[in-house]
Amino acid sequence: SSSHLGSSITGCSLRGVLVWRALAQPLLRLAAMAKIGDPLDEFIDPGQLECLNQDKDNPVGNAFAAGDAFLASDKDVDSELLVKVQFRQPVKIGGIKIMGPAEEDNAPKAVRIFQGKTDIGFAEAADDESTQDLVLEADTVREGTAVPLRFVKFQSVQSIQLFFPNEGQDQTQVKRIQFFGEPAQKMDMKDWKPVKG
């Protein structure tokens, strides 16, 4: 009967592990999201958005707004894009979401991330050392899953540059770019008003 007892304990513990796994998965996902931070949309200055080689009918602003519009490279040139983003105040960046179009052939396959290189051009973006390089998995781009970045490398970011290299497609299309993190200083001093009294 001891072997019978052992098998029932094993059965219980296996069932327990499966139940724990089912419960833990969403919690782990939430913990990962909590770690990369909150959306930083409000800290982006839309008037300062810039993109080299964008198609004039599908400009960079489309990638920073909700909706079906997208950013696209100029088909008459090539599929490379160089996106430049300015933040209203320094931010810490923990993750990035890059969502592609419905047609996966035109989805970005990789991105090189730089910070503080406001005057960077295509030659430097291809050759210089980046802050971080990401290979963009098809599932991640299709679903718009946030990807964690090396948090220690993005501690006080005032501007960020994203280089989407030519990976053989005719055109690169990006439906949404979103950064996650938190302000480097919790309070912007220009918004602080002393209490009179």
Side-chain angles (χ1 to χ4, degrees):
S1 69
S2 63
S3 65
H4 174 70
L5 183 66
S7 66
S8 66
I9 288 170
T10 308
C12 283
S13 58
L14 178 64
R15 205 163 30 249
V17 166
L18 293 173
V19 168
W20 182 86
R21 233 185 236 159
L23 292 171
Q25 285 297 337
L27 291 174
L28 290 171
R29 212 169 292 129
L30 278 173
M33 286 303 287
K35 205 172 84 174
I36 66 169
D38 298 316
L40 294 173
D41 300 10
E42 64 184 292
F43 297 102
I44 291 171
D45 186 344
Q48 296 281 321
L49 286 172
E50 191 187 341
C51 181
L52 304 186
N53 196 39
Q54 66 184 350
D55 175 42
K56 66 179 190 306
D57 295 327
N58 298 287
V60 67
N62 291 350
F64 290 88
D68 292 328
F70 54 86
L71 161 66
S73 63
D74 186 342
K75 256 187 178 160
D76 296 333
V77 182
D78 61 25
S79 63
E80 292 185 344
L81 284 169
L82 184 50
V83 177
K84 302 181 180 186
V85 181
Q86 294 275 351
F87 294 96
R88 297 180 198 274
Q89 66 182 77
V91 292
K92 299 178 181 182
I93 300 177
I96 186 172
K97 172 170 110 174
I98 295 171
M99 192 171 189
E103 311 90 46
E104 287 185 19
D105 293 350
N106 295 325
K109 314 272 192 305
V111 64
R112 307 196 74 214
I113 306 171
F114 299 85
Q115 63 160 311
K117 298 202 168 199
T118 50
D119 299 321
I120 196 170
F122 282 110
E124 300 95 323
D127 298 336
D128 288 5
E129 188 178 345
S130 67
T131 310
Q132 189 170 350
D133 288 351
L134 292 178
V135 173
L136 301 171
E137 304 292 341
D139 288 356
T140 305
V141 173
R142 188 187 318 114
E143 292 160 19
T145 308
V147 179
L149 296 179
R150 283 193 215 111
F151 194 57
V152 291
K153 299 251 187 181
F154 299 94
Q155 283 297 295
S156 185
V157 181
Q158 190 74 60
S159 73
I160 202 160
Q161 296 75 39
L162 305 175
F163 172 54
F164 296 95
N166 184 344
E167 297 288 337
Q169 67 265 46
D170 294 332
Q171 188 181 49
T172 298
Q173 296 178 1
V174 182
K175 190 173 174 187
R176 190 78 167 92
I177 297 171
Q178 198 170 24
F179 298 98
F180 296 85
E182 60 186 50
Q185 287 87 32
K186 289 295 186 190
M187 186 172 66
D188 198 338
M189 290 312 285
K190 70 176 167 42
D191 295 335
W192 183 75
K193 293 176 177 63
V195 177
K196 294 192 172 73

